[in-house]
Amino acid sequence: MPGIRLCTAALWLCSLVPAAAHQGVVRFGGLPVPGATVTATQGDKRLVTVTDPEGAYAFPDSGGGVWTLRVEMTGFATLEREVSAHAAVEWELKLLPLAEMNAPAAQAPLAAPAVEAPPEEIEAAPSDGFLISGSVNNAAASPFAQPAAFGNFRPGKRSLYSGALGVTFNNSPWDARPYSLTGQHTPRQAYTRAQGTVSFGGPLMIPRLLARNGPELMLNYQWTRNRGATTAADRVPTALERDGKLSQPATDPAGGAPFPGGLIPAGRISPQARALLELYPQANLEAAGRYNLQVPLATASHQDTFQGRASKTVGRKDRIFGEFAWQSARSDNTSLFGFLDATSAALLDSSIHWTRRFTTRTFATLRYQYLRRSTRVTPYFAGRVNVSGLAGIAGNNQEPANWGPPSLVFSSGIATLAGAENSLARNQTSGVSGSIAWSRYSHNLSLGGGYRRQQTNLLAQQNARGAFTFTGAATGVDFAGFLLGIPDTAAIAFGNADKYLRWSSWDAHFTDDWRAGASLTVNAGLRWEYSSPVSELRGRLVNLDIAPGFTAIAPVVAAASPRPLIRADRRGLQPRLGISWRPMPASPLVVRAGYGVYFDTSIYEPIATRMAQQPPLSKSLSAANSPDHPLTLANGFVAAPNVPANTFAVDPGLRVGYLQTWQVSIQRDLPWALVGTLTYLGSKGTRAQQQFLPQTWPSGAAAACPQCPAGYVFLASNGNSTRQSGQLQLRRRLRSGLAGQLGYVFSKSIDNAATGGRGQSAAVIAQDWLNPGGERGLSSFDQRHVLSLEAQFTTGTGLRGGTLLGGWQGALFKDWTFATQVAAAAGLPSSPVWLAAVRGTGVTGSIRPDYTGAPLYNAPAGLFLNPAAVAAPAPDRWGNAGRNSIAGPSQFSLNASLARTLRLNERFSADFRLDSANALNRVTYTRWNTTATSPQFGLPLAANPMRTVQAVMRVRF
């Protein structure tokens, strides 16, 4: 692209231009500071200069070696550092406290004495009371003064108020056509996306009430209106399959013989299956058992956000600062089946801060926060059509709010029939925190703590309509079992819809930032965090009392238990240590290292939600089809006496998991304004969550305890993880308008925890309950190689770049910014899955296949994985394929942007920006289908978006 070629050419030209011996830019708040005094010393040599209107300075004749540079400006803290020759330096000034600003020691050389002002006027215009060499004061301390001036520059009167207007808009004509997984022509779906922003800020002045010194306000409003569509591809039953004609031979469970001609008689097709088949769309492609349906999915979202901030200084020592945010969001999403589910959410977030400065080195802060969030999900069928009742499906919840079909899952890759669950959640958090900071000699000490009270009020069912899974266990073909009305597993959970969860959190910390010497800084601290296990307002939580060896179980209700269902874990001490060391004072080499411990105290809420949906307080079922408990579509959700009712239990001694991290980095300044950093980062997770199914065995193996209860998931905290990574970063500081950064990360992450199993459920269940450690494999986020490049070039920057260019040439050439971001990474791993029920349970998805020895990635034409490399696990053992053992597709993206700032006058400026994502329009897949029982095994599940273009316009005043 032109922007990329221009950036490359500019980088080459800049490398040919020798830099001045010493140069730099002085800024405050990102803006250039003219008139700052810069002094360079080396032994008995001393050079002095001042910054120009662009905040830049230079010592072209300083020569080589290491010089000490000092930047001074009245009202600001003095900055000093040692700098090597040919190194551009960026300085960021910091305002002094008011007490130090008025003291004689705070006045810099070459500055006139400060003009005294009444105490109440010090904050109003602290910069009007001093002179800079080459400037004019214009009686600034007088109410009749002219505007402050520098040299011959006389700016107009500035407004007390500022604001901005912005709009972002893009639609489908600017974008590329979406990629088609089916290979068929995919029309570009029309959409519109618009976002607007309005902000306004300044002092609040009310005549005769707040005529002066009112609080500073900042108000901001944002709105978003998006309407669009995406393209989805999947497999649905064909016309022949709907009539009972199957492409594979199926076994008649009534006699054990195959159906003649592979045709299921029309009289054998269950009425429930016929009713549910009406919800499936007709195939619109010929795909020979692969994707045969491609449809657009409409989406719409509206969002409004209002934010407000106010601050007020009271006296000389106190400051009050408050924030308020309100957000309303609505969205509609259409599924493959045409179901339109609606979601609405509202958020209220407010906080107030009070800061008191006792001395120039001691101050305290106090903060209170109140947050309230509500979310409502309304499924398509809620209050509209009782699908289950009309189909003759019994046992699930058929209240109007939960009307709809049960979920249908097929092992052969037929699209899953599913919809959203009706829910209303209202969450609330109140918290107070405070801290005291004290600066003493070379130590900056901080001590603080906080308390939060949180609640979740939920009106929802976990699985009110239920779910059927068809694996072909009864008929040899999953769809044949569906037509006959014989599911292989059934699961349901409803009752006790209203839940009122409560918990509290405490934290405390102590930190010492110690300047141990001119070349060594040590930051050490200790933090303690504790979050109580979640309780239900009426004690409606259920756990299982489990006998040793998982030989017997009994439900325990919190309201009737003398002991807590989960014991509190208060061992949350988290030491932190960090150092920054410059081995040689005159060297730009800096070594940094750190170590820390971090606890995950947010584990209890999702556990409590599952404990609230258990018998005897509600109905739950997870069972497989068997002679003792035959399942049908009509009565598959009816509980049986020989099937355990409870489906979940947690270890009462569950421990809070924690992560240890350690890091070492070496940073050094390099020629041509470059900075190189080499980093090693390691981490180790302990007490991670694990899930397994007690007393379960491979399909052909003898059970060690046939009478022991099975079918429930047990959660423990015995997992662990480890990650090692090396990072290399090369950054170019902004110089002559060009800045950039190149980074590379090589890492490896391994764990055996219950989270993060791509291709399985959100919470992975161990395949072998006697060996949860056997789940150890690559983490789902393990990305072995990551390469990133960011580059930005701005025209009209620096003397050589044309900053002094004026007239029509300056108006045309200056203030253009070209930027690009390039990212390339290895694929994320996925687990191969053999979709079959674990014997004695209704759980599917935890069994993995066997690897046959055939090359996995030597795939036939049209596939990316070889189906011959996987097979059904041996009948007497679990599958030997490792968790997350399939490497996903590589990732690549290139984004580009073009921006221009237009300075209309002293008060108004306009920003224009054009952004392009995936500018090269390159196809990259998200991940492969790794379900070994599906004919789509080895096909991509989805592709990342193709090129999109977005325009942004903003006006500031």
Side-chain angles (χ1 to χ4, degrees), residues 767-789:
Q767 182 177 227
D768 184 357
W769 74 283
L770 294 176
N771 183 27
E775 297 297 298
R776 192 169 184 83
L778 296 176
S779 303
S780 63
F781 54 84
D782 177 72
Q783 213 161 13
R784 196 60 46 85
H785 307 277
V786 178
L787 179 67
S788 61
L789 171 65

Side-chain angles (χ1 to χ4, degrees), residues 36-41 45-49 59 67-72 79-81 109-110:
T37 302
V38 184
T39 305
T41 58
K45 298 180 183 179
R46 185 173 184 270
L47 303 175
V48 180
T49 187
F59 295 101
W67 287 68
T68 300
L69 267 60
R70 181 183 182 92
V71 177
E72 298 168 303
L79 303 180
E80 184 176 301
R81 70 176 74 170
L110 304 181

Side-chain angles (χ1 to χ4, degrees), residues 149-428:
F150 183 86
N152 294 323
F153 179 66
R154 299 294 190 275
K157 183 178 180 180
R158 297 180 63 92
S159 172
L160 295 176
Y161 300 94
S162 63
L165 300 173
V167 62
T168 302
F169 179 80
N170 62 327
N171 57 12
S172 54
W174 295 14
D175 296 348
R177 185 167 55 89
Y179 178 75
S180 172
L181 292 176
T182 63
Q184 303 295 319
H185 175 75
T186 304
R188 182 172 52 200
Q189 304 298 329
Y191 72 84
T192 57
R193 298 171 185 162
Q195 179 179 348
T197 302
V198 179
S199 63
F200 179 80
L204 177 63
M205 293 190 294
I206 303 176
R208 300 187 180 185
L209 182 62
L210 288 175
R212 56 181 299 177
N213 296 330
E216 290 285 332
L217 296 181
M218 175 59 72
L219 305 177
N220 183 69
Y221 169 69
Q222 296 177 340
W223 57 265
T224 302
R225 302 291 185 268
N226 293 340
R227 287 188 175 275
T230 58
T231 301
D234 217 319
R235 181 187 170 220
V236 295
T238 64
L240 292 176
E241 289 174 330
R242 292 169 184 263
D243 292 335
K245 179 62 176 178
L246 306 177
S247 58
Q248 295 177 309
T251 302
D252 185 352
F259 286 101
L263 177 65
I264 298 177
R268 296 285 303 277
I269 299 178
S270 75
Q272 292 78 25
R274 290 188 183 277
L276 295 177
L277 267 177
E278 294 298 322
L279 301 176
Y280 275 84
Q282 297 287 338
N284 56 18
L285 300 172
E286 294 293 335
R290 297 183 180 178
Y291 299 129
N292 60 3
L293 177 71
Q294 183 171 285
V295 294
L297 305 182
T299 60
S301 63
H302 290 195
Q303 182 172 296
D304 297 275
T305 304
F306 176 79
Q307 298 168 326
R309 292 180 293 172
S311 62
K312 179 71 173 74
T313 300
V314 181
R316 291 177 174 271
K317 297 185 177 182
D318 298 280
R319 183 173 181 266
I320 299 176
F321 173 76
E323 292 179 301
F324 172 84
W326 170 84
Q327 183 181 90
S328 174
R330 292 88 63 201
S331 65
D332 299 324
N333 295 283
T334 306
S335 72
L336 186 80
F337 302 89
F339 305 160
L340 182 66
D341 299 328
T343 302
S344 62
L347 171 69
L348 173 64
D349 188 0
S350 61
S351 62
I352 185 169
H353 308 247
W354 168 71
T355 301
R356 181 174 180 83
R357 183 174 295 276
F358 298 99
T359 67
T360 57
R361 297 180 178 274
T362 306
F363 64 92
T365 61
L366 186 64
R367 178 176 183 263
Y368 172 77
Q369 181 187 26
Y370 175 79
L371 185 147
R372 185 178 179 86
R373 178 188 293 110
S374 64
T375 305
R376 179 184 290 275
V377 178
T378 305
Y380 174 71
F381 288 104
R384 185 193 300 257
V385 181
N386 185 2
V387 177
S388 294
L390 294 176
I393 299 173
N396 56 2
N397 187 298
Q398 297 183 16
E399 296 177 355
N402 296 309
W403 281 353
S407 295
L408 303 179
V409 181
F410 296 89
S411 63
S412 65
I414 294 176
T416 298
L417 177 67
E421 292 283 348
N422 195 308
S423 66
L424 173 62
R426 292 190 176 96
N427 303 334
Q428 179 177 302

